């Protein structure tokens, strides 16, 4: 199966490492890459006559996160989604090997009027290698799209809200499937949450999923999809910072939202999350690390960030002064690296002007509470990056305890979120028109009371 990467205008396919191609005589250009950590290798071959010509291309990883206990996952894509092929779960094996991807949670496709791949619910790969767990996409389209990971049972219905023929009048908050997942021991996330640059602009406020803010404020879901090919990572991060600033420890996730059986589709794992499992390659270890924010998300660059030997998801003492180290590995150029404290950039430097690695170190004055993270962004997009711009972000390292806050930033963020909540509720009421929705209104009121108590 050939695929088309629309970002770079390249047709690509997977091989087991050895492939035989029939080509006309003349000049042939071969481009090879594996996952995000190998720089693109290009070799030109001149075929002068008929016969077999052996060409060898060696790939070398800039950094193999597996060596340091990190394994990677893509938590938002669809095996079959109305395309030209009908794939089976086994078809994911060469894709995951070709992308050096360890964990995949293909979501059962929700096409509004039909729900695909249900026959694969509960399917697992032999010996769980690689780890493949089928997940469920909930498109309560009007309120916001959800991903349910690791559930034992499917949630019904898959769709509801204004615009749907059957469940259009349902007064059913997204909290219903979110609580369903929590009781089943699964993980829940909001997918492709924001596609704009500024969630606090007039246009941006009307583009946020209507229930996202209320659910986040009340800690109703585990993960937020920070990197996705169909949303804006910087804009989504700006929104995520406000949740962290009020003490809600939502962890970052990554997913491509790729439809694997379509021709016009990027590679799975192009946007992904890495979780620190100390090398354990089972779902339970991975899911625990993911939920606890022992992670970073990326579409290319790799970040290894530590403060006094503490990594993302850990807690550091609220000492006034702390030393930090940051290692950046990348198979493509990266414009800048930054350290973020409670949503504000406190340090920045140039990144890499070519594939390779670079180390930074320094010290920082810590506030009494809150969080610290690092990010990398910018640079010319080329293979293996298939996103619109280069981006990576670590999960936060917490100061004093998980969910701690800086008092001033907490009140500022609460005020911002109150404004977003008001806009979201107004949009919700407009959509339901004259339909009674006491459950949804009560949910918004609970979130509003929570934020107002912060500002008292």
């Amino acid at each position: 199966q050939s695929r088309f990467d629309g970002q770079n205008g390249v047709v690509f396919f997977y091989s087991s490492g050895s492939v035989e191609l029939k080509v006309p005589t003349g000049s042939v250009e071969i481009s090879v890459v594996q996952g995000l950590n190998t720089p693109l290798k290009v070799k030109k071959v001149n075929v002068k006559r008929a016969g077999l010509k052996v060409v060898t291309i060696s790939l070398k990883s800039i950094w193999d996160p597996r060596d340091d206990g990190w394994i990677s996952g893509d938590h938002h894509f669809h095996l079959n989604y109305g395309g030209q092929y009908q794939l089976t779960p086994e078809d994911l094996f060469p894709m995951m090997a070709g992308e050096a991807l360890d964990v995949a949670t293909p979501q059962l496709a929700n096409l509004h009027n039909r729900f695909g791949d249900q026959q694969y619910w509960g399917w697992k790969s032999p010996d769980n290698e690689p780890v493949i767990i089928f997940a469920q996409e909930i498109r309560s389209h009007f309120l916001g799209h959800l991903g349910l990971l690791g559930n034992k049972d499917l949630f019904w219905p898959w769709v509801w809200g204004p615009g749907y023929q059957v469940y259009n009048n349902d007064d059913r908050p997204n909290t219903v499937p979110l609580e369903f997942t929590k009781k089943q021991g699964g993980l829940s996330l909001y997918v492709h949450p924001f596609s704009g640059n500024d969630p606090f602009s007039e246009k941006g406020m009307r583009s946020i999923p209507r229930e996202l803010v209320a659910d986040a404020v009340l800690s109703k879901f585990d993960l937020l999809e920070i990197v996705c090919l169909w949303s804006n990572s910087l804009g989504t991060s700006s929104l995520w910072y406000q949740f962290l600033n009020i003490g809600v420890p939502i962890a970052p996730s990554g997913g491509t939202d790729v439809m694997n059986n379509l021709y016009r589709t990027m590679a799975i794992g192009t946007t992904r999350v890495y979780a620190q499992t100390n090398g354990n390659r089972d779902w339970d270890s991975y899911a625990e690390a993911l939920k606890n924010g022992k992670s970073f998300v990326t579409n290319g660059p790799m970040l290894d960030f530590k403060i006094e030997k503490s990594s993302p998801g850990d807690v550091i003492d609220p000492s006034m002064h702390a030393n930090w180290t940051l290692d950046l590995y990348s198979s493509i150029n990266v414009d800048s690296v930054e350290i973020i404290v409670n949503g504000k950039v406190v340090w920045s430097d140039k990144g890499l002007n070519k594939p390779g690695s670079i180390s930074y170190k320094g010290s920082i004055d810590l506030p009494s509470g809150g969080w610290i993270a690092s990010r990398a962004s910018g640079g010319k997009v080329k293979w293996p990056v298939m996103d619109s711009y280069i981006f990576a972000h670590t999960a936060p390292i917490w100061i004093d305890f998980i969910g701690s806050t800086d008092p001033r930033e907490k009140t500022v963020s609460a005020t911002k979120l109150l404004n977003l909540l008001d806009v979201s509720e107004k949009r919700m009421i407009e959509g339901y028109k004259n339909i009674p929705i006491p459950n949804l209104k009560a949910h918004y009121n609970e979130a509003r009371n929570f934020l107002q108590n912060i500002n008292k």
Side-chain angles (χ1 to χ4, degrees), residues 60-258:
K60 185 177 181 181
S61 179
I62 294 293
W63 176 53
D64 191 344
R66 293 166 176 163
D67 291 342
D68 289 339
W70 299 90
I71 63 172
S72 60
D74 182 341
H75 300 301
H76 183 197
F77 69 95
H78 308 285
L79 181 65
N80 293 298
Y81 205 93
Q84 301 90 335
Y85 308 89
Q86 188 66 26
L87 303 181
T88 67
E90 291 84 358
D91 291 317
L92 290 173
F93 295 165
M95 301 182 204
M96 294 179 69
E99 301 301 335
L101 187 68
D102 304 297
V103 181
T105 57
Q107 296 188 18
L108 302 188
N110 183 338
L111 294 169
H112 301 275
N113 59 1
R114 61 193 187 279
F115 308 136
D117 288 343
Q118 290 184 62
Q119 68 269 31
Y120 299 130
W121 184 252
W123 186 94
K124 292 184 180 180
S125 53
D127 301 320
N128 287 328
E129 188 68 35
V131 177
I132 298 174
I133 303 288
F134 274 82
Q136 183 182 11
E137 178 188 35
I138 296 294
R139 290 178 83 172
S140 45
H141 196 63
F142 185 76
L143 300 173
H145 292 194
L146 306 177
L148 310 182
L149 315 179
N151 283 10
K152 299 178 180 66
D153 302 311
L154 289 172
F155 177 82
W156 294 89
W158 296 29
V159 294
W160 69 87
Y164 288 110
Q165 292 83 359
V166 179
Y167 300 107
N168 61 310
N169 292 344
D170 272 26
D171 179 22
R172 188 196 317 268
N174 273 348
T175 52
V176 178
L178 295 176
E179 291 293 340
F180 175 86
T181 298
K182 184 177 181 179
K183 290 178 181 178
Q184 296 227 337
L187 300 178
S188 57
L189 74 153
Y190 266 83
V191 298
H192 49 58
F194 184 68
S195 59
N197 295 315
D198 182 5
F200 306 104
S201 67
E202 184 175 349
K203 180 180 179 181
M205 288 191 291
R206 296 189 62 83
S207 302
I208 298 170
R210 290 169 177 83
E211 200 180 318
L212 170 62
V213 174
D215 290 346
V217 165
L218 298 175
S219 303
K220 294 298 184 180
F221 60 93
D222 304 296
L223 308 167
L224 186 66
E225 196 169 76
I226 303 298
V227 289
C228 178
L229 296 175
W230 307 107
S231 56
N232 188 310
S233 296
L234 286 168
T236 301
S237 296
S238 296
L239 183 59
W240 178 43
Y241 296 164
Q242 313 313 313
F243 304 144
L244 298 178
N245 282 350
I246 65 168
V248 180
I250 295 172
S253 185
T256 49
D257 200 8
V258 159

Side-chain angles (χ1 to χ4, degrees), residues 327-366:
D327 296 324
L328 169 67
Y329 306 89
S330 184
S331 60
I332 36 83
N333 56 312
V334 180
D335 282 349
S336 65
V337 290
E338 298 167 316
I339 292 178
I340 315 292
V341 176
N342 294 330
K344 291 183 169 59
V345 177
V346 298
W347 173 90
S348 64
D349 205 341
K350 293 181 179 179
L352 291 162
N353 57 14
K354 61 180 180 179
S357 63
I358 186 172
S359 297
Y360 310 86
K361 63 180 180 179
S363 59
I364 187 172
D365 292 325
L366 299 177

Side-chain angles (χ1 to χ4, degrees), residues 350-401:
K350 293 181 179 179
L352 291 162
N353 57 14
K354 61 180 180 179
S357 63
I358 186 172
S359 297
Y360 310 86
K361 63 180 180 179
S363 59
I364 187 172
D365 292 325
L366 299 177
S368 59
W371 56 274
I372 307 171
S374 65
R375 71 183 180 194
S377 62
K380 184 179 180 180
V381 171
K382 59 181 180 180
W383 263 31
V385 174
M386 298 186 191
D387 206 347
S388 55
Y389 60 85
I390 293 163
F391 184 86
H393 206 303
T394 68
I397 298 173
W398 292 92
I399 301 169
D400 199 19
F401 60 91

